[in-house]
Amino acid sequence: MNMPKKVRIVDVGPRDGLQSENIIVPTENKIQLIHSLAAAGIPSVESGAFVSPKWVPQMSDSEEVLKNITRIKGTSYPVLVPNLKGFERARQANVEEIALFSAASETFSNKNTNCTINESINRAHEVCEAGIAEGMKVRGYISCALGCPYEGEIDNTRVAELASEFNKMGCYEVSLGDTIGIGTPIKAKSMLSTVADLVPMDKLALHFHDSYGQALANILACLELGVSTIDTAVSGLGGCPYAPGASGNVATEDVLYMLNGLDIDTGIDFEAVISAGEYICNVLSRTTTSKVSQAFLAAR
Ligand code: HMG
Ligand code: MG
C-alpha cells in the first residue's frame, strides 16, 4: 500500500458547492465562506468561475468575490475558466490560479460547454498558454471520469489520454471528476491506475461527487494507490447544472474525519471547517449533508 502521509485538500465549496443552488448566494456571504475555509487551514479554496453568466448566473459575481477577498499567503484561490474571455476576466480580478475543464464524454462536453471535447481541449491550450505567460498556476479537470449522465460507461483510456493532454500543456495537476458520483471502489481504482500510467500520481487529484454515497469508499481505495490531493466541498455542497442527477461533492468534514482516523496529516483545523459548514448552511437555510458534521453537532 502506498497510502500517503500527507493529503492536500482542495475545497471547491464556494464554486462547485454554490453553482447549482436555487438561490444566488450574496457576494459578502461567499467572501465570508472563503475567508473561513482559508482560515481553517485549507490550502486551496476554489473561489469562483469566470464562465458565462447566462449559463451559470450563480457565479456571475466572481469578479467582486475575487477582487474583495483577503488572501492568506500560501493559500490558493483557483477559479474556473472556460475560454479566453473568462481568462481576461480572471486576470483583471487578480486571480493567481485558474482551472480548465474538459470531459471524457462528447455529450456532456456539448451540454456543459457547447463544444466538442477537441474544441474544449483547444480552448484549454489557449487559456493555459495565456495563464502560464501571466505567471498563473493552471489546473485541469476531467468530468465524467467514472461515467456520464448521458452516455453511461466511459473508457478509462479516454480519461487517461485527456489527463495526459492537460499534463503536457502545462497543468500542474489534473483533477479526475466523478461528476455524478456513480463510481465504486474497484472501478475508481482501475480508472486512477490507468491514468497514472500516463501522468505521475503526484500530479493527480480526485474530485468525487457523492450522489450514490460511494465517495469516501472510492477515495480510500484510491489513497491506497498513493494519490494525495482530494477535492471536497464543505457541508457536502455541490452539483453541476449540466449533469442531471449530480448531487453534492464529498463533504470536507467527512474526508477530514476519515483522514484523521488514518493518521494522515492535512494541516486543517477540523472544528473550524465544521463552523464554516454551519455558516453556509445557515445562509442556504438547509441542513448539512455531512454525516460527520451532523454527528459532531448533535454531540456538542
Ligand atoms: P457559448 O454560449 O457557446 O459562448 O458558451 P460563445 O463564445 O458563443 O459566446 C456567447 C456569449 O457569451 C457572448 O456574449 C460571449 O461574450 C459570452 P454576447 O456577444 O452574446 O453578449 N461569453 C462569456 N461571458 C462571460 N464570461 C465568459 C464568456 N464566454 C462567452 N467566459 C461557454 C460557451 C463555455 C462560455 C459556456 O458554455 C459556459 O460558460 N459553460 C460553463 C458551464 C459551467 O460552468 N458548468 C459547471 C462547471 S463544470 C463542473 O462543475 C464540473 C467540475 O466540477 C468537475 C466535475 O465535477 O466533473 C469542474
Ligand atoms: Mg464537480
Side-chain angles (χ1 to χ4, degrees), residues 92-254:
Q92 289 187 13
N94 313 321
V95 164
E96 291 169 349
E97 178 171 338
I98 55 176
L100 317 173
F101 51 111
S102 183
S105 146
E106 281 298 351
T107 315
F108 182 80
S109 176
N110 190 268
K111 302 260 187 203
N112 195 41
T113 46
N114 201 21
C115 66
T116 63
I117 297 172
N118 272 345
E119 284 163 345
S120 78
I121 289 292
N122 290 340
R123 287 178 192 172
H125 265 284
E126 291 176 345
V127 178
C128 189
E129 201 181 327
I132 287 171
E134 205 60 43
M136 294 177 181
K137 283 179 80 182
V138 187
R139 193 171 199 244
Y141 274 113
I142 301 169
S143 287
C144 303
L146 289 172
C148 168
Y150 307 102
E151 294 182 11
E153 288 287 320
I154 294 292
D155 186 356
N156 288 344
T157 54
R158 189 80 193 96
V159 183
E161 283 160 8
L162 282 168
S164 175
E165 254 328 301
F166 273 133
N167 181 42
K168 280 191 263 175
M169 75 174 76
C171 292
Y172 79 92
E173 185 170 272
V174 185
S175 184
L176 305 166
D178 184 5
T179 316
I180 51 168
I182 200 165
T184 45
I186 304 273
K187 211 171 159 197
K189 233 173 156 166
S190 151
M191 182 275 292
L192 179 63
S193 65
T194 307
V195 177
D197 285 341
L198 296 188
V199 180
M201 191 65 89
D202 63 1
K203 295 185 113 194
L204 296 173
L206 307 176
H207 178 105
F208 290 172
H209 286 254
D210 198 29
S211 320
Y212 289 76
Q214 303 296 301
L216 275 183
N218 295 346
I219 290 168
L220 180 59
C222 290
L223 282 171
E224 289 173 358
L225 293 180
V227 72
S228 60
T229 301
I230 300 172
D231 297 0
T232 63
V234 64
S235 284
L237 298 173
C240 174
Y242 299 99
S247 63
N249 291 77
V250 66
T252 311
E253 299 89 325
D254 295 5

Side-chain angles (χ1 to χ4, degrees), residues 271-295:
E271 291 198 27
V273 177
I274 298 265
S275 300
E278 271 187 292
Y279 169 77
I280 192 62
C281 284
N282 281 336
V283 171
L284 295 167
S285 308
R286 70 151 64 157
T287 316
T288 179
T289 61
S290 158
K291 288 237 174 203
V292 166
S293 188
Q294 285 170 17

Side-chain angles (χ1 to χ4, degrees), residues 9 24 44 47 59 85 88 102 140 152 199 208 215 244 271 283 290 298:
I9 296 288
I24 300 186
S44 181
S47 299
M59 290 289 116
K85 169 121 193 173
E88 193 45 36
S102 183
V199 180
F208 290 172
E271 291 198 27
V283 171
S290 158

